[in-house]
Amino acid sequence: MNAYYQFVAEVFFVMFILLTLIGSWLAVNARILMHSVLGLAVSLLGVAGLYFYLGSMFLTMMQILIYMGAVCIVLVFGIMVGYTPNESADKHELSRNMMLGLVTSGVAAFLLIVVAIGKTTWTQAVQTTGNFSIEWLGKSLLLEYCLAFELISVVLLIAIVGAIILARGGREEEI
Amino acid sequence: MILLSQSLNTYLILAVFLLVIGIYGMIRHKTFIGMLVSTELVLNGAGLNFMAFNKFTGPDPAVGQVFTLFIMGIAAAEAAIVVSFILAVYRKYQTSDPENVNGLQG
């Protein structure tokens, strides 16, 4: 019975991986820009499932809430306000940009997978503290990482104010 | 029987895939929003890497989660800033093609 549950969990894991792969492929290869954002959302959902397998329910929820709920909506808003619906990228033409991208990403993938991941042996930590509960995470955020926590809120505030100023300034005067 | 979800290399290879497909998309896309979408993929690869090392080799499980949360916050701030940039550029240049935004070309 236990092995059966393990098998089901592995099947779901592979499904999350496939969701990530298909979504990211759609995000970079879609012809219409809105489909690209849709692919990004699918890919983010797959990564959220992987976070669940890595032991953090909280980050799964945050991934869905922040990335799929906020960032994707901002992107859709940007498309709707500023763009024509069709991206005029010709898929069949093997342009210089595509060749450049293929070479760059291929070399990077080869170096990272074969040289970096393949030749390294990872060692376990000698002793571990804490657990994956939200309680421990909240205590760490408010005790050890308090400064970073406050700074990220300041960064978010500045980003919001800056975004408002950038988006509404310069409407009247022609520079 | 080796479990796919209990091996560090699965997550690392998936993170590498997210990174390289993000770089590929950044070069290939011809619009600003497309490049921003690819950037989000790269950031997600980084977050997945942090979480994987946190689970398999890290001494304290909170560290990787805090890092990934901060990456999410940075990504949200960056998306808001870039979208407002795009709107400003669109208003000034009346185009969505990055090739035509060349006011500094001289």
Side-chain angles (χ1 to χ4, degrees):
Chain A
M1 205 59 188
N2 207 5
Y4 171 72
Y5 284 137
Q6 232 167 27
F7 176 73
V8 172
E10 288 299 299
V11 168
F12 271 97
F13 181 73
V14 173
M15 273 172 55
F16 279 126
I17 288 182
L18 282 181
L19 223 59
T20 310
L21 298 184
I22 292 170
S24 52
W25 186 84
L26 185 64
V28 297
N29 276 318
R31 265 190 129 152
I32 301 173
L33 213 47
M34 202 66 95
H35 293 180
S36 187
V37 178
L38 178 72
L40 176 71
V42 171
S43 175
L44 297 179
L45 186 66
V47 175
L50 295 182
Y51 283 164
F52 182 73
Y53 277 85
L54 286 171
S56 178
M57 191 71 203
F58 179 66
L59 272 186
T60 308
M61 289 298 142
M62 282 302 114
Q63 173 93 358
I64 292 174
L65 207 66
I66 297 177
Y67 264 121
M68 296 176 64
V71 172
C72 285
I73 296 296
V74 167
L75 293 180
V76 167
F77 171 76
I79 292 174
M80 283 177 169
V81 172
Y83 278 90
T84 49
N86 293 318
E87 185 181 11
S88 57
D90 198 358
K91 264 177 82 172
H92 302 292
E93 169 200 19
L94 196 66
S95 64
R96 203 190 57 183
N97 266 9
M98 264 184 86
M99 285 299 294
L100 199 63
L102 279 178
V103 169
T104 313
S105 50
V107 168
F110 173 77
L111 286 182
L112 282 172
I113 290 179
V114 176
V115 180
I117 297 177
K119 291 193 188 299
T120 316
T121 52
W122 311 106
T123 51
Q124 291 272 342
V126 180
Q127 65 172 14
T128 59
T129 57
N131 47 31
F132 276 93
S133 68
I134 300 178
E135 186 190 355
W136 179 257
L137 178 62
K139 275 180 182 163
S140 306
L141 265 179
L142 287 182
L143 294 177
E144 292 167 45
Y145 307 106
C146 188
L147 180 65
F149 186 72
E150 297 294 333
L151 280 180
I152 197 95
S153 62
V154 173
V155 165
L156 278 172
L157 177 70
I158 293 173
I160 291 168
V161 174
I164 292 171
I165 290 174
L166 274 176
R168 71 178 275 277
R171 183 176 290 167
E172 294 86 8
E173 67 270 11
E174 283 289 318
I175 304 167
Chain B
M1 171 181 172
I2 182 153
L3 288 174
L4 207 56
S5 63
Q6 297 304 319
S7 139
L8 177 60
N9 281 348
T10 313
Y11 299 98
L12 292 187
I13 288 172
L14 196 63
V16 167
F17 177 79
L18 281 176
L19 170 73
V20 295
I21 206 166
I23 293 174
Y24 170 69
M26 235 183 281
I27 297 175
R28 183 197 169 277
H29 267 294
K30 290 198 175 81
T31 55
F32 288 119
I33 292 272
M35 294 176 195
L36 185 56
V37 166
S38 312
T39 315
E40 301 294 336
L41 286 178
V42 173
L43 285 170
N44 252 281
L48 188 61
N49 241 343
F50 271 115
M51 280 299 286
F53 280 116
N54 179 41
K55 166 94 183 282
F56 291 105
T57 64
D60 184 356
V63 180
Q65 298 185 52
V66 169
F67 254 107
T68 311
L69 276 177
F70 287 163
I71 288 175
M72 280 180 198
I74 294 288
E78 171 243 357
I81 287 284
V82 170
V83 165
S84 67
F85 264 164
I86 290 168
L87 294 186
V89 164
Y90 184 73
R91 201 162 41 226
K92 181 157 166 49
Y93 289 88
Q94 296 297 326
T95 179
S96 59
D97 188 5
E99 299 280 327
N100 294 331
V101 184
N102 51 10
L104 283 178
Q105 205 173 34

